[in-house]
Amino acid sequence: MAQYDVIVIGSGPGGYVAAIRCAQLGLKTACVEGRETLGGTCLNVGCIPSKALLHASHQLHEAEHNFAKMGLKGKAPSVDWKQMLSYKDDVIGQNTKGIEFLFKKNKIDWLKGWGSIPEAGKVKVGDDVHEAKNIIIASGSEASSLPGIKIDEKVVVTSTGALELPKIPKKMIVIGAGVIGLELGSVYSRLGTEVQVIEFLDTITPGMDGEVQKTFQRLLQKQGLKFTLGAAVQKVDASKSKAKVTYKLRKDDSEHDMDADVVLVATGRRPYTDGLGLDALGIEMSQRGQIKTDGHWQTNVKGIYAIGDCIDGPMLAHKAEDEGMACAEVIAGKAGHVNYGVIPGVIYTHPEVANVGQTEEQLKEAGRAYKVGKFSFMGNGRAKANFAADGFVKIIADKDTDRILGAHIIGPMAGDLIHEICVAMEFGASAEDLALTCHAHPTYSEAVREAALACGNGAIHM
Ligand code: NAI
């Protein structure tokens, strides 16, 4: 029986990062993973493969729509779907092998198999029981479907099936206008699929800044995506090659049908804790199936911690990573810390959408006085040159102190631009601090500075 300071269960972005930090802090560490490869949902069937397909399909979109304008003549490339999938698999392989390398480098044992916790201080993998002074559960999440819908991962798919469809469908219905639905809907729309999104609420991307939602929907519609909002999906009837989606419009309760070759169910994810033995251990869970933890990621059972998608908070890889590092530090007797007020969210469509901190809607509800500085990418020279002038940067600052409270960007490289504002917020910066920082010209980042200027005496290029 092997003895460890820490055993991490799950090797997704939360788990593998926690394991590496534990090892770096001198703790003898193992990580349990039952998949063939390390990296969890994110690397194998989530963030990374979807970004590969978004990248490839965006290149096609550029070739079809913008090359000729720049004097790049010739036929737009045709799609070799098999090759595109193999490129995606290659990207996955490079990343998962990278983690294997990092495990070896940090002398972390990979315990292959599915783990359970027979009692505090012990982790069972297959027939072996290992001892661990501390256990970190990083078991992630799984797609949650709706009642009346049976997923077969062929015709009715989650994001996992959508990343390896045997052929590009003619028509796809996406249920849920959240992150997964819009990213994967964009991929197939660019590849020529007719994409119809059905969303329960009256807006896409619930919880996001209202102006961003409107602009985002308009731009996606311009790209060809169609939306049916305020519609509750009732059931999906599927055959071997077709599916019929039945939904009710919430405004008048009328029932409608729609057919497609493939239905993508993207209605959220739920914590995955099956088979860990948490019930028998008496670990407290929330009503939503999340493992309850204290301010230091410890469960109600001493020595058992939990991080990432299986606990409270946004289901985001980088939130899990931050918790993984902080939890490792707490276990090593240091002061682990996560600032939940500054966790960016990004949607990797084109244009990208990114946000951090509070929305105007939240501030209004809280009765807090704020001001807004907004700058359109139309006024950004670099964006114009790159056919990327759709969208804007919006910075929200405290009305009295000018301290930045949130930022919402839709536009080119929004997912990268947002981090300048995250750093500013971490340092408690004011909009003026950003506005007084010299930004290189010509860059997209100038739009961030202009939005900060717009919080004060005004933007220059508007
Ligand atoms: P989501 O929570 O973002 O969106 C689900 C959508 O489905 C909501 O708009 C909801 O109103 C709608 N919906 C629910 N029931 C419905 C019904 N009966 N009929 C029609 N619409 C219905 O969930 P999603 O997109 O599945 O993503 C899951 C998680 O994965 C999220 O937490 C997301 O943040 C994360 N993720 C993050 C990514 C990123 O950071 N770029 C990429 C992919 C996933």
Side-chain angles (χ1 to χ4, degrees):
M1 179 155 63
Q3 291 191 327
Y4 293 97
D5 293 316
V6 184
I7 294 183
V8 183
I9 301 181
S11 72
Y16 85 73
V17 167
I20 292 173
R21 181 56 105 226
C22 285
Q24 287 173 336
L25 293 168
L27 302 167
K28 186 168 163 48
T29 307
C31 183
V32 187
E33 177 55 62
R35 273 182 207 270
E36 299 279 301
T37 46
L38 298 171
T41 300
C42 174
L43 268 71
N44 288 283
V45 286
C47 328
I48 298 297
S50 61
K51 260 76 275 174
L53 294 184
L54 278 158
H55 176 68
S57 58
H58 179 59
Q59 301 304 312
L60 176 69
H61 180 91
E62 286 295 282
E64 284 172 344
H65 295 88
N66 292 328
F67 275 17
K69 292 183 212 160
M70 292 185 279
L72 299 171
K73 293 280 169 73
K75 262 171 72 185
S78 61
V79 179
D80 178 344
W81 180 234
K82 231 172 122 193
Q83 174 59 27
M84 201 180 279
L85 290 181
S86 116
Y87 145 71
K88 176 228 16 160
D89 291 338
D90 191 45
V91 172
I92 295 172
Q94 287 175 37
N95 281 278
T96 57
K97 284 200 189 77
I99 296 176
E100 235 176 282
F101 162 78
L102 290 173
F103 272 19
K104 281 194 190 121
K105 182 180 160 203
N106 287 286
K107 302 192 171 49
I108 297 163
D109 290 341
W110 173 6
L111 307 176
K112 294 186 183 177
W114 301 101
S116 61
I117 310 172
E119 59 184 278
K122 290 198 166 74
V123 173
K124 189 165 184 272
V125 185
D127 294 332
D128 300 328
V129 177
H130 306 270
E131 278 191 1
K133 288 186 199 132
N134 302 280
I135 297 167
I136 303 176
I137 302 170
S139 51
S141 60
E142 62 178 352
S144 64
S145 184
L146 298 167
I149 300 185
K150 200 168 158 286
I151 305 287
D152 59 24
E153 295 295 9
K154 288 189 171 68
V155 174
V156 185
V157 300
T158 65
S159 51
T160 304
L163 290 167
E164 50 186 22
L165 292 178
K167 60 177 189 194
I168 299 168
K170 282 206 171 63
K171 179 158 181 192
M172 175 184 263
I173 294 175
V174 175
I175 307 177
V179 190
I180 292 182
L182 299 182
E183 285 187 355
L184 289 172
S186 288
V187 165
Y188 285 100
S189 168
R190 292 170 195 164
L191 296 175
T193 303
E194 182 190 339
V195 176
Q196 172 75 52
V197 184
I198 304 180
E199 164 61 45
F200 180 78
L201 297 172
D202 296 325
T203 55
I204 67 168
T205 56
M208 203 170 269
D209 174 271
E211 273 184 281
V212 170
Q213 285 175 332
K214 281 197 196 101
T215 307
F216 192 25
Q217 187 181 339
R218 182 175 54 76
L219 293 174
L220 290 174
Q221 276 166 340
K222 217 167 105 187
Q223 289 168 25
L225 279 86
K226 294 185 186 130
F227 292 91
T228 304
L229 303 180
V233 169
Q234 308 293 304
K235 60 173 178 162
V236 178
D237 295 307
S239 69
K240 265 193 179 153
S241 59
K242 282 254 170 247
K244 185 170 82 176
V245 176
T246 308
Y247 62 91
K248 249 187 190 170
L249 286 181
R250 294 198 298 135
K251 61 177 183 205
D252 57 12
D253 247 6
S254 58
E255 201 167 275
H256 304 262
D257 288 338
M258 212 183 267
D259 291 326
D261 310 310
V262 171
V263 175
L264 166 61
V265 183
T267 50
R269 297 181 63 83
R270 63 164 168 248
Y272 179 75
T273 55
D274 292 1
L276 290 173
L278 303 187
D279 258 8
L281 285 163
I283 288 190
E284 282 176 18
M285 310 288 285
S286 75
Q287 281 195 331
R288 299 175 59 200
Q290 298 153 324
I291 300 172
K292 282 194 190 173
T293 54
D294 63 14
H296 288 110
W297 303 280
Q298 188 159 216
T299 66
N300 60 315
V301 177
K302 200 167 172 288
I304 302 184
Y305 298 79
I307 56 165
D309 283 11
C310 63
I311 71 167
D312 193 22
M315 287 183 166
L316 296 171
H318 43 280
K319 174 258 194 189
E321 287 181 36
D322 277 25
E323 289 176 343
M325 278 192 279
C327 183
E329 278 159 23
V330 166
I331 289 172
K334 299 183 182 300
H337 171 73
V338 175
N339 181 359
Y340 288 99
V342 186
I343 294 185
V346 180
I347 308 181
Y348 298 87
T349 44
H350 195 83
E352 289 185 350
V353 177
N355 59 72
V356 65
Q358 311 209 51
T359 60
E360 276 195 79
E361 291 79 5
Q362 285 168 331
L363 291 166
K364 268 185 204 139
E365 207 180 309
R368 187 151 178 194
Y370 64 89
K371 54 187 173 175
V372 172
K374 215 175 129 188
F375 187 79
S376 163
F377 280 101
M378 288 300 240
N380 179 277
R382 184 73 180 278
K384 273 208 197 111
N386 294 359
F387 302 108
D390 283 328
F392 56 83
V393 179
K394 174 172 174 177
I395 293 177
I396 305 175
D398 186 281
K399 190 155 199 233
D400 303 318
T401 66
D402 195 36
R403 189 178 172 140
I404 301 170
L405 303 174
H408 307 275
I409 308 178
I410 176 163
M413 305 293 284
D416 288 275
L417 297 181
I418 198 74
H419 294 100
E420 173 180 359
I421 302 165
C422 295
V423 174
M425 286 175 75
E426 283 287 356
F427 282 84
S430 63
E432 189 182 30
D433 289 325
L434 263 190
L436 290 176
T437 304
C438 183
H439 283 63
H441 176 74
T443 58
Y444 297 139
S445 297
E446 286 175 288
V448 174
R449 183 198 200 175
E450 291 271 21
L453 280 164
C455 284
N457 291 330
I460 300 296
H461 294 90
M462 239 180 18

PDB file of all heavy atoms in Angstrom, residues 288-308:
ATOM      1  N   ARG A 288     -28.040  21.107  -5.233  1.00  0.00           N
ATOM      2  CA  ARG A 288     -27.699  21.007  -6.661  1.00  0.00           C
ATOM      3  C   ARG A 288     -26.640  19.938  -6.928  1.00  0.00           C
ATOM      4  O   ARG A 288     -26.081  19.856  -8.011  1.00  0.00           O
ATOM      5  CB  ARG A 288     -27.232  22.369  -7.170  1.00  0.00           C
ATOM      6  CG  ARG A 288     -28.328  23.423  -7.034  1.00  0.00           C
ATOM      7  CD  ARG A 288     -27.828  24.794  -7.414  1.00  0.00           C
ATOM      8  NE  ARG A 288     -27.346  24.838  -8.790  1.00  0.00           N
ATOM      9  CZ  ARG A 288     -26.538  25.767  -9.249  1.00  0.00           C
ATOM     10  NH1 ARG A 288     -26.109  26.724  -8.463  1.00  0.00           N
ATOM     11  NH2 ARG A 288     -26.156  25.754 -10.505  1.00  0.00           N
ATOM     12  N   GLY A 289     -26.343  19.142  -5.891  1.00  0.00           N
ATOM     13  CA  GLY A 289     -25.405  18.033  -6.072  1.00  0.00           C
ATOM     14  C   GLY A 289     -23.937  18.440  -5.993  1.00  0.00           C
ATOM     15  O   GLY A 289     -23.047  17.675  -6.376  1.00  0.00           O
ATOM     16  N   GLN A 290     -23.693  19.662  -5.496  1.00  0.00           N
ATOM     17  CA  GLN A 290     -22.292  20.099  -5.368  1.00  0.00           C
ATOM     18  C   GLN A 290     -21.758  19.690  -3.994  1.00  0.00           C
ATOM     19  O   GLN A 290     -22.515  19.691  -3.009  1.00  0.00           O
ATOM     20  CB  GLN A 290     -22.200  21.630  -5.470  1.00  0.00           C
ATOM     21  CG  GLN A 290     -22.668  22.174  -6.787  1.00  0.00           C
ATOM     22  CD  GLN A 290     -23.190  23.600  -6.645  1.00  0.00           C
ATOM     23  OE1 GLN A 290     -23.800  23.964  -5.638  1.00  0.00           O
ATOM     24  NE2 GLN A 290     -22.948  24.410  -7.661  1.00  0.00           N
ATOM     25  N   ILE A 291     -20.463  19.397  -3.925  1.00  0.00           N
ATOM     26  CA  ILE A 291     -19.853  19.082  -2.634  1.00  0.00           C
ATOM     27  C   ILE A 291     -19.702  20.395  -1.862  1.00  0.00           C
ATOM     28  O   ILE A 291     -19.179  21.380  -2.398  1.00  0.00           O
ATOM     29  CB  ILE A 291     -18.467  18.436  -2.836  1.00  0.00           C
ATOM     30  CG1 ILE A 291     -18.612  17.137  -3.642  1.00  0.00           C
ATOM     31  CG2 ILE A 291     -17.786  18.182  -1.498  1.00  0.00           C
ATOM     32  CD1 ILE A 291     -17.288  16.523  -4.073  1.00  0.00           C
ATOM     33  N   LYS A 292     -20.162  20.407  -0.619  1.00  0.00           N
ATOM     34  CA  LYS A 292     -20.041  21.644   0.175  1.00  0.00           C
ATOM     35  C   LYS A 292     -18.632  21.733   0.754  1.00  0.00           C
ATOM     36  O   LYS A 292     -18.099  20.731   1.265  1.00  0.00           O
ATOM     37  CB  LYS A 292     -21.053  21.621   1.316  1.00  0.00           C
ATOM     38  CG  LYS A 292     -22.467  21.953   0.893  1.00  0.00           C
ATOM     39  CD  LYS A 292     -23.276  22.235   2.146  1.00  0.00           C
ATOM     40  CE  LYS A 292     -24.744  22.345   1.837  1.00  0.00           C
ATOM     41  NZ  LYS A 292     -25.530  22.461   3.056  1.00  0.00           N
ATOM     42  N   THR A 293     -18.048  22.932   0.675  1.00  0.00           N
ATOM     43  CA  THR A 293     -16.709  23.134   1.234  1.00  0.00           C
ATOM     44  C   THR A 293     -16.703  24.401   2.094  1.00  0.00           C
ATOM     45  O   THR A 293     -17.573  25.268   1.931  1.00  0.00           O
ATOM     46  CB  THR A 293     -15.648  23.318   0.120  1.00  0.00           C
ATOM     47  OG1 THR A 293     -16.082  24.379  -0.737  1.00  0.00           O
ATOM     48  CG2 THR A 293     -15.471  22.053  -0.703  1.00  0.00           C
ATOM     49  N   ASP A 294     -15.672  24.506   2.960  1.00  0.00           N
ATOM     50  CA  ASP A 294     -15.543  25.739   3.749  1.00  0.00           C
ATOM     51  C   ASP A 294     -14.681  26.732   2.961  1.00  0.00           C
ATOM     52  O   ASP A 294     -14.354  26.488   1.790  1.00  0.00           O
ATOM     53  CB  ASP A 294     -14.965  25.425   5.146  1.00  0.00           C
ATOM     54  CG  ASP A 294     -13.556  24.859   5.087  1.00  0.00           C
ATOM     55  OD1 ASP A 294     -12.911  24.948   3.997  1.00  0.00           O
ATOM     56  OD2 ASP A 294     -13.069  24.324   6.099  1.00  0.00           O
ATOM     57  N   GLY A 295     -14.293  27.817   3.569  1.00  0.00           N
ATOM     58  CA  GLY A 295     -13.500  28.840   2.883  1.00  0.00           C
ATOM     59  C   GLY A 295     -12.128  28.337   2.424  1.00  0.00           C
ATOM     60  O   GLY A 295     -11.436  29.020   1.668  1.00  0.00           O
ATOM     61  N   HIS A 296     -11.736  27.148   2.878  1.00  0.00           N
ATOM     62  CA  HIS A 296     -10.439  26.601   2.472  1.00  0.00           C
ATOM     63  C   HIS A 296     -10.588  25.313   1.675  1.00  0.00           C
ATOM     64  O   HIS A 296      -9.700  24.463   1.671  1.00  0.00           O
ATOM     65  CB  HIS A 296      -9.552  26.380   3.705  1.00  0.00           C
ATOM     66  CG  HIS A 296      -9.063  27.667   4.288  1.00  0.00           C
ATOM     67  ND1 HIS A 296      -9.504  28.162   5.489  1.00  0.00           N
ATOM     68  CD2 HIS A 296      -8.202  28.578   3.799  1.00  0.00           C
ATOM     69  CE1 HIS A 296      -8.918  29.330   5.713  1.00  0.00           C
ATOM     70  NE2 HIS A 296      -8.125  29.607   4.705  1.00  0.00           N
ATOM     71  N   TRP A 297     -11.692  25.147   1.011  1.00  0.00           N
ATOM     72  CA  TRP A 297     -11.982  24.012   0.119  1.00  0.00           C
ATOM     73  C   TRP A 297     -12.015  22.670   0.853  1.00  0.00           C
ATOM     74  O   TRP A 297     -11.944  21.625   0.246  1.00  0.00           O
ATOM     75  CB  TRP A 297     -10.993  23.978  -1.070  1.00  0.00           C
ATOM     76  CG  TRP A 297     -11.067  25.274  -1.792  1.00  0.00           C
ATOM     77  CD1 TRP A 297     -12.013  25.655  -2.697  1.00  0.00           C
ATOM     78  CD2 TRP A 297     -10.219  26.413  -1.598  1.00  0.00           C
ATOM     79  NE1 TRP A 297     -11.813  26.956  -3.070  1.00  0.00           N
ATOM     80  CE2 TRP A 297     -10.712  27.453  -2.422  1.00  0.00           C
ATOM     81  CE3 TRP A 297      -9.091  26.675  -0.817  1.00  0.00           C
ATOM     82  CZ2 TRP A 297     -10.128  28.707  -2.482  1.00  0.00           C
ATOM     83  CZ3 TRP A 297      -8.506  27.924  -0.876  1.00  0.00           C
ATOM     84  CH2 TRP A 297      -9.020  28.914  -1.702  1.00  0.00           C
ATOM     85  N   GLN A 298     -12.143  22.710   2.202  1.00  0.00           N
ATOM     86  CA  GLN A 298     -12.231  21.457   2.944  1.00  0.00           C
ATOM     87  C   GLN A 298     -13.710  21.093   3.098  1.00  0.00           C
ATOM     88  O   GLN A 298     -14.557  21.955   3.352  1.00  0.00           O
ATOM     89  CB  GLN A 298     -11.570  21.585   4.318  1.00  0.00           C
ATOM     90  CG  GLN A 298     -11.468  20.231   5.025  1.00  0.00           C
ATOM     91  CD  GLN A 298     -10.389  20.219   6.123  1.00  0.00           C
ATOM     92  OE1 GLN A 298      -9.709  19.237   6.332  1.00  0.00           O
ATOM     93  NE2 GLN A 298     -10.240  21.315   6.798  1.00  0.00           N
ATOM     94  N   THR A 299     -14.017  19.811   2.948  1.00  0.00           N
ATOM     95  CA  THR A 299     -15.399  19.356   3.151  1.00  0.00           C
ATOM     96  C   THR A 299     -15.623  19.233   4.656  1.00  0.00           C
ATOM     97  O   THR A 299     -14.723  19.525   5.454  1.00  0.00           O
ATOM     98  CB  THR A 299     -15.621  17.984   2.493  1.00  0.00           C
ATOM     99  OG1 THR A 299     -14.827  17.018   3.188  1.00  0.00           O
ATOM    100  CG2 THR A 299     -15.232  17.989   1.016  1.00  0.00           C
ATOM    101  N   ASN A 300     -16.808  18.742   5.027  1.00  0.00           N
ATOM    102  CA  ASN A 300     -17.069  18.569   6.466  1.00  0.00           C
ATOM    103  C   ASN A 300     -16.270  17.391   7.041  1.00  0.00           C
ATOM    104  O   ASN A 300     -16.259  17.192   8.248  1.00  0.00           O
ATOM    105  CB  ASN A 300     -18.569  18.388   6.727  1.00  0.00           C
ATOM    106  CG  ASN A 300     -19.142  17.179   6.011  1.00  0.00           C
ATOM    107  OD1 ASN A 300     -18.848  16.976   4.833  1.00  0.00           O
ATOM    108  ND2 ASN A 300     -19.934  16.391   6.702  1.00  0.00           N
ATOM    109  N   VAL A 301     -15.606  16.613   6.168  1.00  0.00           N
ATOM    110  CA  VAL A 301     -14.742  15.531   6.663  1.00  0.00           C
ATOM    111  C   VAL A 301     -13.286  16.014   6.604  1.00  0.00           C
ATOM    112  O   VAL A 301     -12.783  16.352   5.523  1.00  0.00           O
ATOM    113  CB  VAL A 301     -14.915  14.243   5.821  1.00  0.00           C
ATOM    114  CG1 VAL A 301     -13.956  13.151   6.292  1.00  0.00           C
ATOM    115  CG2 VAL A 301     -16.352  13.756   5.891  1.00  0.00           C
ATOM    116  N   LYS A 302     -12.638  16.037   7.747  1.00  0.00           N
ATOM    117  CA  LYS A 302     -11.272  16.577   7.837  1.00  0.00           C
ATOM    118  C   LYS A 302     -10.330  15.825   6.879  1.00  0.00           C
ATOM    119  O   LYS A 302     -10.386  14.597   6.775  1.00  0.00           O
ATOM    120  CB  LYS A 302     -10.773  16.423   9.278  1.00  0.00           C
ATOM    121  CG  LYS A 302      -9.622  17.336   9.608  1.00  0.00           C
ATOM    122  CD  LYS A 302      -9.384  17.385  11.117  1.00  0.00           C
ATOM    123  CE  LYS A 302      -8.119  18.138  11.416  1.00  0.00           C
ATOM    124  NZ  LYS A 302      -6.900  17.465  11.080  1.00  0.00           N
ATOM    125  N   GLY A 303      -9.520  16.579   6.174  1.00  0.00           N
ATOM    126  CA  GLY A 303      -8.543  15.948   5.279  1.00  0.00           C
ATOM    127  C   GLY A 303      -9.093  15.634   3.895  1.00  0.00           C
ATOM    128  O   GLY A 303      -8.359  15.205   3.013  1.00  0.00           O
ATOM    129  N   ILE A 304     -10.388  15.877   3.682  1.00  0.00           N
ATOM    130  CA  ILE A 304     -10.947  15.688   2.331  1.00  0.00           C
ATOM    131  C   ILE A 304     -11.385  17.056   1.796  1.00  0.00           C
ATOM    132  O   ILE A 304     -12.220  17.739   2.406  1.00  0.00           O
ATOM    133  CB  ILE A 304     -12.145  14.706   2.316  1.00  0.00           C
ATOM    134  CG1 ILE A 304     -11.702  13.346   2.873  1.00  0.00           C
ATOM    135  CG2 ILE A 304     -12.689  14.553   0.894  1.00  0.00           C
ATOM    136  CD1 ILE A 304     -12.774  12.260   2.817  1.00  0.00           C
ATOM    137  N   TYR A 305     -10.772  17.431   0.686  1.00  0.00           N
ATOM    138  CA  TYR A 305     -11.019  18.738   0.065  1.00  0.00           C
ATOM    139  C   TYR A 305     -11.741  18.531  -1.277  1.00  0.00           C
ATOM    140  O   TYR A 305     -11.721  17.428  -1.836  1.00  0.00           O
ATOM    141  CB  TYR A 305      -9.693  19.456  -0.187  1.00  0.00           C
ATOM    142  CG  TYR A 305      -8.915  19.753   1.077  1.00  0.00           C
ATOM    143  CD1 TYR A 305      -8.175  18.758   1.706  1.00  0.00           C
ATOM    144  CD2 TYR A 305      -8.935  21.018   1.641  1.00  0.00           C
ATOM    145  CE1 TYR A 305      -7.462  19.022   2.875  1.00  0.00           C
ATOM    146  CE2 TYR A 305      -8.225  21.293   2.803  1.00  0.00           C
ATOM    147  CZ  TYR A 305      -7.497  20.296   3.408  1.00  0.00           C
ATOM    148  OH  TYR A 305      -6.805  20.570   4.564  1.00  0.00           O
ATOM    149  N   ALA A 306     -12.326  19.588  -1.809  1.00  0.00           N
ATOM    150  CA  ALA A 306     -12.937  19.494  -3.145  1.00  0.00           C
ATOM    151  C   ALA A 306     -12.787  20.833  -3.862  1.00  0.00           C
ATOM    152  O   ALA A 306     -12.826  21.898  -3.232  1.00  0.00           O
ATOM    153  CB  ALA A 306     -14.409  19.113  -3.036  1.00  0.00           C
ATOM    154  N   ILE A 307     -12.571  20.749  -5.168  1.00  0.00           N
ATOM    155  CA  ILE A 307     -12.346  21.955  -5.980  1.00  0.00           C
ATOM    156  C   ILE A 307     -13.021  21.799  -7.350  1.00  0.00           C
ATOM    157  O   ILE A 307     -13.358  20.690  -7.758  1.00  0.00           O
ATOM    158  CB  ILE A 307     -10.829  22.196  -6.221  1.00  0.00           C
ATOM    159  CG1 ILE A 307     -10.197  20.957  -6.878  1.00  0.00           C
ATOM    160  CG2 ILE A 307     -10.101  22.558  -4.949  1.00  0.00           C
ATOM    161  CD1 ILE A 307      -8.827  21.212  -7.462  1.00  0.00           C
ATOM    162  N   GLY A 308     -13.183  22.913  -8.054  1.00  0.00           N
ATOM    163  CA  GLY A 308     -13.611  22.876  -9.460  1.00  0.00           C
ATOM    164  C   GLY A 308     -15.103  22.738  -9.661  1.00  0.00           C
ATOM    165  O   GLY A 308     -15.911  23.178  -8.840  1.00  0.00           O
TER     166      GLY A 308
END
